[in-house]
């Protein structure tokens, strides 16, 4: 067994590294740059029932050690994703596990998309996006209310034929309360964290830089927040976690696993260096050796034994 | 194919007030680069890269040139970079100006506004080398912002207009087009500049089969994965400026 391998429900990964949803499109662009079969998995861009154009521009703003985005779940709709996007990945990268990010404005939207895309011949798992801060309806509103999050997760788990991971929002008073409520609906695990809501203003116009006014903060600035929340949820719940938030170095990956993650996703770093996931996969073994880590599996086992 | 090359700053020169010309030496100069393509440069201290149109490719000397104006913290930091500084440069990106379809000795109109000039300079160089006949209209805000007039003039008939009339003609670029470039019919029109200029060119040449603008947009990735730089199309769809453009036919997108 490879020293980089890690296993989660529905996801036997050759390494713990995958590009995060919204930061790799549907793999078509990154697939021109390197062999995506090397990735642990890929989390493709959100799917909604109908095509979605998203928010007006400007959609991004720079921040210290990060960025704000308010793309607004732009996507060609679930039918088109199933028809063209997933076959592209399956044909060109047959060894690549695909995780579909599912979003919507209503519970019925989420269920409908899960029913269509949550099939073993299409994807390995679903990431339930109840934490997007950039849409007027649905998205984060589901992820900040324990009862709604529970109900939605339960309905989507029932509607899907593949494991369902729930993407948690950091924009809550107590993430453990939400995570515990969701855990009762029997999802396969959590992915966390989505972006933190933020704003920036233009001094000249005295207006918000983003057309949507608010956006989601991502990048290295949020790494400590992600580590803390992953740690809290890991201690409070029994479900595996795919950790994300500000990873840019091999050390960050190991730190996130120590905090409680079983695999990790890399987001904003792809937008600055599109080769980053490939580079991290190459660099990870040397960093593990430096810290006497025999394998990712052993790091996870030792972590859980101590607790 | 996209590369992330480490290039060395070998020249940094202020060519007009707040406008800098930077030469970057390294592998990128040998890549197949089409006029109108751009690079996305990682600047020290900035968290996102910055996109710049490629102003010149000098394969023999092994450098590419960009021209930028200091408009914020990122470009301010760039202007401070010492010779010898190494920068990560992602490119060549996007689709450039369509030129292979032009007839022999085509008559071409180039319309530039301010710092829209850089990609048009590389285009002009290449078109002139191919033997096309060029008319060049350059607009700038004011006299101390004028740059590359002589560089452009070596490739074709060039006229300048400034908003305040402090240099050559006074008025908007459309005034210059009316005054000096309205009698000929052109095989192709290529434009780059601020949004009002591109809108004016789009309206003026809406019926022209070979009229192109290079759009500007706030970007992050530069390769089409983040969907930050989208523009609407007339059929209610959208295009990504970075990967579908930055060059579009004037009727292809809604500016």
């Amino acid at each position: 067994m490879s020293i980089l391998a890690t296993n989660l429900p529905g996801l036997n990964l050759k390494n713990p590294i995958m590009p995060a949803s919204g930061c790799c499109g549907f793999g078509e662009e990154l697939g021109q740059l390197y062999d995506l079969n090397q990735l642990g998995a890929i989390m493709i861009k959100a799917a909604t029932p109908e095509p979605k154009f998203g928010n007006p521009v400007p959609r991004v703003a720079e921040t210290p050690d990060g960025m704000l985005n308010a793309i607004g779940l732009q996507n060609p709709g679930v039918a088109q994703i199933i028809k063209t996007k997933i076959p592209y990945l399956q044909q060109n990268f047959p060894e690549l596990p695909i995780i579909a990010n599912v979003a919507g404005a209503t519970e019925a939207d989420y269920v409908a998309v899960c029913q269509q895309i949550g099939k073993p011949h299409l994807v390995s798992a679903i990431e339930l996006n109840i934490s997007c801060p950039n849409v007027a309806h649905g998205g984060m509103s589901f992820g900040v209310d324990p009862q709604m999050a529970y109900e939605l997760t339960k309905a989507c788990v029932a509607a899907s034929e593949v494991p369902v991971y729930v993407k948690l929002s950091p924009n809550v008073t107590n993430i453990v309360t939400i995570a515990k409520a969701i855990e009762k609906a029997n999802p396969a695990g959590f992915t966390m964290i989505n972006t933190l809501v933020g704003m920036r203003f233009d001094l000249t116009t005295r207006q918000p830089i983003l057309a949507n006014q608010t956006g989601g903060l991502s990048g290295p600035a949020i790494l400590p927040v992600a580590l803390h929340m992953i740690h809290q949820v890991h201690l409070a719940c029994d479900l595996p976690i795919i950790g994300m938030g500000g990873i840019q170095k091999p050390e960050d990956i190991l730190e996130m696993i120590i905090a409680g993650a079983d695999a990790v996703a890399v987001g904003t770093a792809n937008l600055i260096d599109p080769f980053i996931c490939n580079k991290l996969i190459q660099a990870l073994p040397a960093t593990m050796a430096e810290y006497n880590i025999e394998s990712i599996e052993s790091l996870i086992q030792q972590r859980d034994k101590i607790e | 194919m996209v590369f992330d090359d480490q290039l060395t700053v070998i020249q940094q020169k202020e060519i007009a007030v707040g406008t800098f010309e930077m030469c970057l030496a390294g592998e990128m100069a040998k890549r197949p680069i089409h006029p109108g393509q751009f690079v996305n440069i990682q600047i020290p201290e900035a968290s996102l890269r910055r996109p710049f149109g490629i102003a010149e490719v000098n394969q023999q000397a092994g450098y590419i040139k960009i021209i930028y104006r200091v408009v914020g913290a990122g470009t301010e930091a760039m202007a401070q970079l010492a010779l010898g500084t190494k920068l990560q440069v992602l490119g060549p990106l996007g689709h450039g100006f369509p030129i292979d379809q032009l007839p022999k000795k085509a008559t071409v109109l180039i319309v530039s506004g301010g710092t829209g000039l850089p990609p048009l300079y590389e285009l002009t160089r290449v078109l002139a080398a191919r033997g096309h006949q060029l008319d060049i209209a350059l607009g700038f805000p004011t006299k101390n912002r004028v740059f590359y007039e002589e560089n452009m003039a070596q490739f074709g008939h060039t006229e300048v207009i400034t908003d305040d009339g402090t240099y050559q003609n006074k008025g908007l670029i459309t005034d210059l087009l009316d005054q000096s470039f309205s009698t000929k019919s052109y095989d192709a029109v290529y434009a780059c500049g601020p949004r009002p200029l591109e809108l004016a060119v789009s309206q003026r040449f809406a019926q022209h089969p070979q009229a192109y603008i290079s759009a500007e947009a706030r970007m992050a990735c530069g390769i089409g994965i983040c969907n930050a730089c989208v523009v609407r199309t007339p059929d209610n769809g959208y295009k990504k400026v970075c990967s579908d453009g930055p060059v579009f036919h004037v009727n292809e997108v809604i500016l």
Side-chain angles (χ1 to χ4, degrees):
Chain A
M1 187 139 169
S2 157
I3 62 161
L4 295 184
T6 182
N7 292 309
L8 294 85
L11 299 167
N12 295 323
L13 309 179
K14 52 188 158 307
N15 65 66
I17 298 165
M18 62 191 86
S21 183
C23 299
C24 58
F26 296 95
E28 292 151 311
E29 295 83 9
L30 294 184
Q32 307 282 318
L33 304 185
Y34 63 90
D35 180 7
L36 302 186
N37 283 318
Q38 296 177 40
L39 294 169
I42 186 169
M43 297 172 130
I44 56 177
K45 187 148 180 58
T48 52
E50 300 298 325
K52 208 164 153 52
F53 174 69
N55 292 321
V57 295
R59 293 174 165 189
V60 292
E62 197 170 39
T63 68
D65 281 321
M67 68 182 286
L68 290 175
N69 90 78
I71 306 297
L73 300 179
Q74 179 161 23
N75 79 93
V78 66
Q80 192 64 22
I81 292 169
I82 291 170
K83 198 175 154 202
T84 64
K85 306 295 183 183
I86 290 175
Y88 161 80
L89 285 172
Q90 289 178 331
Q91 279 155 28
N92 291 283
F93 308 105
E95 295 161 40
L96 176 66
I98 302 167
I99 301 172
N101 183 292
V102 169
T106 63
E107 184 175 310
D109 281 353
Y110 281 89
V111 169
V113 177
C114 285
Q115 279 169 343
Q116 290 173 72
I117 209 168
K119 297 185 183 303
H121 73 277
L122 294 174
V123 298
S124 298
I126 277 175
E127 177 182 50
L128 211 54
N129 188 352
I130 57 167
S131 44
C132 175
N134 300 322
V135 286
H137 303 286
M140 197 173 85
S141 60
F142 287 104
V144 296
D145 181 304
Q147 188 60 28
M148 279 172 73
Y150 163 79
E151 301 282 356
L152 183 71
T153 304
K154 197 175 158 193
C156 290
V157 168
S160 306
E161 295 170 38
V162 296
V164 173
Y165 291 75
V166 182
K167 188 165 191 174
L168 300 182
S169 171
N171 301 298
V172 292
T173 313
N174 187 342
I175 199 159
V176 170
T177 311
I178 300 278
K180 287 192 130 176
I182 293 171
E183 191 176 25
K184 292 198 188 97
N186 289 319
F190 297 115
T191 71
M192 60 188 291
I193 56 174
N194 207 320
T195 54
L196 292 128
V197 177
M199 280 184 103
R200 293 222 72 182
F201 293 84
D202 184 313
L203 288 180
T204 311
T205 63
R206 304 182 189 178
Q207 295 296 315
I209 291 176
L210 298 174
N212 189 52
Q213 306 216 356
T214 62
L217 177 66
S218 62
I222 73 165
L223 177 71
V225 179
L227 292 170
H228 174 227
M229 290 187 163
I230 289 166
H231 192 58
Q232 285 181 291
V233 170
H234 173 64
L235 292 181
C237 301
D238 290 325
L239 295 175
I241 294 169
I242 300 174
M244 62 196 70
I247 288 175
Q248 47 176 8
K249 304 191 299 287
E251 288 84 354
D252 301 337
I253 295 170
L254 298 173
E255 199 176 343
M256 204 168 266
I257 291 172
I258 290 167
D262 301 279
V264 300
V266 179
T268 303
N270 289 287
L271 310 186
I272 295 142
D273 179 357
F275 298 92
I276 188 72
C277 285
N278 193 25
K279 286 179 184 168
L280 289 171
I281 292 164
Q282 308 304 323
L284 190 55
T287 310
M288 287 163 63
E290 198 182 324
Y291 292 96
N292 299 314
I293 297 166
E294 281 170 30
S295 68
I296 297 297
E297 285 280 325
S298 71
L299 185 63
I300 291 169
Q301 279 163 14
Q302 286 160 25
R303 171 195 77 195
D304 294 346
K305 198 158 68 184
I306 291 163
E307 286 151 11
Chain B
M1 195 61 192
V2 173
F3 302 89
D4 190 18
D5 290 332
Q6 190 179 67
L7 304 186
T8 308
V9 179
I10 57 164
Q11 193 194 305
Q12 176 79 293
K13 194 166 111 191
E14 190 166 9
I15 54 174
V17 170
T19 307
F20 292 79
E21 175 190 88
M22 180 186 270
C23 294
L24 295 159
E27 281 298 297
M28 190 64 72
K30 300 194 184 86
R31 310 291 186 198
I33 296 175
H34 191 84
Q37 286 191 294
F38 68 101
V39 288
N40 212 8
I41 303 183
Q42 202 163 354
I43 305 161
E45 310 297 317
S47 55
L48 294 174
R49 293 194 190 219
R50 297 287 188 281
F52 298 97
I54 299 168
E56 187 184 335
V57 183
N58 192 324
Q59 281 199 323
Q60 275 168 339
Y63 68 80
I64 61 165
K65 184 186 283 176
I66 59 163
I67 296 169
Y68 62 94
R69 200 162 82 79
V70 173
V71 289
T75 41
E76 212 160 280
M78 266 181 88
Q80 304 299 322
L81 295 178
L83 298 189
T85 306
K86 309 233 184 268
L87 297 173
Q88 285 304 126
V89 179
L90 192 71
L93 302 173
H95 294 88
F97 297 101
I99 53 174
D100 292 337
Q101 80 290 4
L102 294 179
K104 279 195 175 151
K105 294 196 176 171
T107 54
V108 173
L109 176 63
I110 305 282
V111 186
S112 164
T115 37
L117 188 146
L120 294 172
Y121 178 62
E122 173 65 5
L123 173 71
T124 303
R125 263 173 21 88
V126 171
L127 290 177
R130 292 187 179 192
H132 298 304
Q133 310 295 313
L134 305 174
D135 278 351
I136 302 163
L138 304 179
F140 295 98
T142 186
K143 186 181 178 182
N144 68 13
R145 294 267 293 277
V146 177
F147 66 95
Y148 267 50
E149 182 197 357
E150 285 167 23
N151 300 47
M152 295 296 263
Q154 62 183 314
F155 300 120
H157 172 68
T158 302
E159 290 194 35
V160 178
I161 192 162
T162 48
D163 294 351
D164 60 3
T166 47
Y167 188 77
Q168 291 194 11
N169 305 283
K170 177 180 169 122
L172 300 173
I173 196 81
T174 41
D175 299 324
L176 184 60
L177 296 181
D178 286 339
Q179 176 186 318
S180 306
F181 301 100
S182 59
T183 52
K184 244 189 246 178
S185 80
Y186 294 97
D187 293 308
V189 179
Y190 302 101
C192 186
R195 200 162 160 269
L197 177 146
E198 298 197 338
L199 273 173
V201 169
S202 297
Q203 280 158 13
R204 193 180 188 96
F205 297 102
Q207 308 302 321
H208 199 297
Q210 303 284 346
Y212 302 93
I213 51 111
S214 177
E216 193 179 41
R218 193 181 271 260
M219 284 180 196
C221 71
I223 62 166
I225 59 179
C226 74
N227 286 28
C229 63
V230 291
V231 278
R232 282 284 195 185
T233 54
D235 61 357
N236 211 27
Y238 70 93
K239 300 264 181 189
K240 299 172 192 173
V241 171
C242 70
S243 55
D244 297 321
V247 175
F248 297 103
H249 184 271
V250 292
N251 291 335
E252 206 178 339
V253 292
I254 301 169
L255 289 170

